[in-house]
Amino acid sequence: MTDVTLPPRKRSRFFENRAALVLALLAPVLTFFIVFNTIPTLWLIGLSFYNFSLTSGMPPDFVGFRNFFAILSSKNAIWFDLSRTFTFVFAAVTVQTLLGGLLGFLFWGSKDMPGRRVALTLLFAPMVLTPVATGTFFRFIYDPTFGIFNYLSRALFDSGPIDFLGDPSLAFWSVLAVDCWMWTPFMTLMTLAALGSVPTAELEAAEIDRVPMWRRLPLVIWHHGKFIMMLGILLRTIDSFKTLDLIIPMTKGGPGQNTRLVALELNKQAFESFNMGWSSAYAVLLLLISIAMTSVFIFVLNLRRRRESGS
């Protein structure tokens, strides 16, 4: 009986070429990014220099920067919406960060609490709901006739019906409360991730040295978890800036213009009026604002690293 040995399997030259392998692995992602991101963005920028409406029946007319000048010179087109939007973003992100941080510390320091996993599951449930469904759901909760909030106010305080979404002084804050209800769990999750990145040895050393918590927070916890927390704040800032699907089912920008944010005006001009040139210029301005906010966050995040490298 002869001993037959198979020849060693030859490696493919393709897999030996590291550059070709990396390019092959990145090709699907790059193709998707170029087709669905880069090309539409370039098309949007190009269309912003034209006067083009889908309902006029006229071909696109090159107008240069006229659309941008018309938006920036208008008293109500962008400035009111931006001021209202920045107020919404600042209030929402601040409340969500503070509440999310407190809840994160609560669950981080209670690992042996009974029912902790069930409580975390219930806490994260609003985050996975679609904003349209949440907005519709809370529109019925806020209803002045049969809403649960008005039922409780009549039962507990014997008060009259409160029109949360129809009262100009309450509508904005009612929508803001729903946004905080939805996205505070996200900041809780980011806080837990930031706290999980803190080395246990440094926490134990600080506890042995009897360092108070108000000193541990900036020196140990924030030092290691700031990147994750700043990333969470950045993501929530960008997401709040383009809030649309929560506003439409709840107020549609009303009463009056009290809940009209920039994304709602863009949606109205692009998909209701079909004013593609004007809305493209509007979208480009919002894109530049988003890039500026992202740059500020990255600058703040890398500020300490630059100081350490400079010294």
Side-chain angles (χ1 to χ4, degrees), residues 24 35 116 246 310:
V35 172
R116 181 175 182 270
L246 187 66

Side-chain angles (χ1 to χ4, degrees), residues 42 56 131 136 169 233 251:
L42 295 177
S56 65
T136 305
S169 62
I233 294 174
T251 63

Side-chain angles (χ1 to χ4, degrees), residues 56-268:
S56 65
M58 301 296 292
D61 180 26
F62 182 79
V63 294
F65 290 94
R66 190 181 302 172
N67 288 326
F68 296 95
F69 293 147
I71 295 172
L72 296 176
S73 61
S74 176
K75 295 181 180 179
N76 296 323
I78 190 171
W79 302 115
F80 177 85
D81 297 339
L82 276 178
S83 62
R84 181 65 63 182
T85 302
F86 281 129
T87 303
F88 182 87
V89 170
F90 178 79
V93 175
T94 301
V95 172
Q96 292 161 21
T97 302
L98 293 177
L99 291 180
L102 291 175
L103 290 173
F105 272 101
L106 174 65
F107 284 102
W108 181 58
S110 57
K111 297 181 180 180
D112 298 329
M113 181 181 68
R116 181 175 182 270
R117 293 184 178 179
V118 177
L120 282 174
T121 303
L122 295 176
L123 177 65
F124 295 147
M127 188 174 59
V128 300
L129 299 176
T130 58
V132 173
T134 302
T136 305
F137 181 69
F138 271 91
R139 187 184 66 194
F140 292 117
I141 290 179
Y142 283 141
D143 190 271
T145 303
F146 52 82
I148 185 64
F149 283 171
N150 274 281
Y151 173 79
L152 293 176
S153 66
R154 286 193 298 266
L156 298 177
F157 307 104
D158 195 21
S159 61
I162 304 174
D163 193 357
F164 290 96
L165 299 180
D167 190 339
S169 62
L170 296 176
F172 179 84
W173 305 108
S174 299
V175 174
L176 179 65
V178 178
D179 189 77
C180 292
W181 178 81
M182 279 193 64
W183 294 111
T184 294
F186 175 78
M187 292 308 301
T188 303
L189 183 64
M190 298 301 292
T191 302
L192 289 173
L195 293 173
S197 66
V198 181
T200 307
E202 294 191 18
L203 290 174
E204 293 176 350
E207 187 174 357
I208 292 174
D209 294 339
R210 296 181 179 180
V211 179
M213 180 55 70
W214 64 273
R215 293 286 294 169
R216 294 184 213 175
L217 188 62
L219 295 178
V220 180
I221 298 176
W222 176 252
H223 177 74
H224 293 282
K226 63 180 179 180
F227 178 80
I228 298 178
M229 287 300 299
M230 291 295 292
L231 178 62
I233 294 174
L234 173 61
L235 293 176
R236 281 304 307 136
T237 300
I238 296 175
D239 195 53
S240 298
F241 186 72
K242 55 187 181 67
T243 299
L244 172 66
D245 39 9
L246 187 66
I247 301 290
I248 291 179
M250 292 188 70
T251 63
K252 296 182 180 179
Q257 299 178 355
N258 283 275
T259 59
R260 193 183 74 177
L261 306 183
V262 288
L264 190 65
E265 178 65 16
L266 178 60
N267 177 76
K268 178 182 177 181

